[in-house]
Amino acid sequence: MPSLTGLSLAAPQRATRWLASGLFGQPWRSWAFALRIWIATLLALFIAFWLQLSNPSSSMITVAILALPNRGQAFGKAIYRVLATLIGATAALVFTAVFAQTRALFLVVFAAWMAMCVYMAALRDGNLAYAAVLSGYTVATLAVENIDAPLGVFDAATNSTAAIIVGVVATAVVNDVLAAPNVLDGLRPRLRAAVATASATVAAADSGPMPPIEALASQLAALTGMRLELATLASERTSGGRGAAAGRSAIAAILAALAGSRMLAVFVAAGPWQDTGAAAPSVDEIVAARLEADILESQALAEAELAAMEGGGAPMRRIALPIHSARQEAARKALRVFLLLLGGSLAFA
């Protein structure tokens, strides 16, 4: 039978663990994130109703679209949302002014605009792809919905843009006041851990066989998956551009070390060759030494760039981490969208 002292001590300990782990199974950071979004939604709706906007729900939708856990991610997406809305609104005004009297030609131009936006979205990722898609359907919500009342396109574009700006401002203010977490704080330990894991893989390859290709693929995915988060650093702080460049350089350097270590392992396994003890080194020995030197240089560069990113210093080099652009596949997607929109629009018209 447990003592009363044990029971009295166990209850506070369980309560302390329960409070430390969160509420109803969710950590406190999730509740803080939900609280920020709730306050930002109320603030956006209040400002939209106070300004007497015709579509105040767009401000609430903007807050929901910008509901990202980190400050830099939300602000970076907000910039692209505003720019894409302005581009789409401008296109809607131009299409309405030029083709208001020829609806068939208007539908053809609208289908071509959507196809172009889909093509650009297929070649990009992240916020750029989102902005391309938003530029397309903004024309649909402004110009196509007001095709019977072209004079109302300007008012619709003004109100939609104002509502989106209200949502962006509300989200930014709440994130700043309630101290939303930064991207760099969460990205820095994950990037350093991924680089350390890759460095360990490179070191293990010197004394044994390379790990399976699946393990290397998972490391590559972990490293390259941080590219989009690095892109948001520039919108988070003044030195974010330098930090993003240093992070990209560190990723590229450790990827080069991984590729070099695998090339060295394949080169050694493809032998047979060995150190003959001759005064002049053989070609195989020169190639192996060059690969080892490149691997060490890449590892040192990755560590230096990580230190620059963490300390806010200037990167040693500025490189990009481009993605593969399948232009033919993007063109096929754009053509399908063009034919479907054009055929459906003309059929309903």
Side-chain angles (χ1 to χ4, degrees), residues 105-244:
L105 188 57
F106 173 83
L107 294 176
V108 173
V109 173
F110 168 67
W113 172 261
M114 288 294 296
M116 184 184 68
C117 292
V118 169
Y119 177 78
M120 296 302 299
L123 296 180
R124 298 292 185 266
D125 63 345
N127 289 331
L128 284 173
Y130 166 73
V133 174
L134 179 59
S135 299
Y137 70 75
T138 297
V139 176
T141 57
L142 296 179
V144 178
E145 288 188 1
N146 294 279
I147 193 171
D148 293 326
L151 295 179
V153 174
F154 179 79
D155 291 337
T158 303
N159 281 278
S160 177
T161 305
I164 289 174
I165 293 176
V166 166
V168 168
V169 171
T171 303
V173 169
V174 171
N175 283 340
D176 285 339
V177 172
L178 297 184
N182 296 323
V183 175
L184 184 61
D185 295 337
L187 179 63
R188 183 166 41 198
R190 290 193 292 112
L191 180 55
R192 179 162 285 281
V195 170
T197 302
S199 298
T201 301
V202 172
D206 293 338
S207 57
M210 286 291 292
I213 192 65
E214 293 79 7
L216 288 176
S218 64
Q219 293 184 22
L220 295 178
L223 287 166
T224 56
M226 302 179 193
R227 184 179 59 86
L228 293 178
E229 293 182 73
L230 284 171
T232 62
L233 291 180
S235 60
E236 188 175 76
R237 58 184 65 200
T238 55
S239 61
R242 294 182 299 177

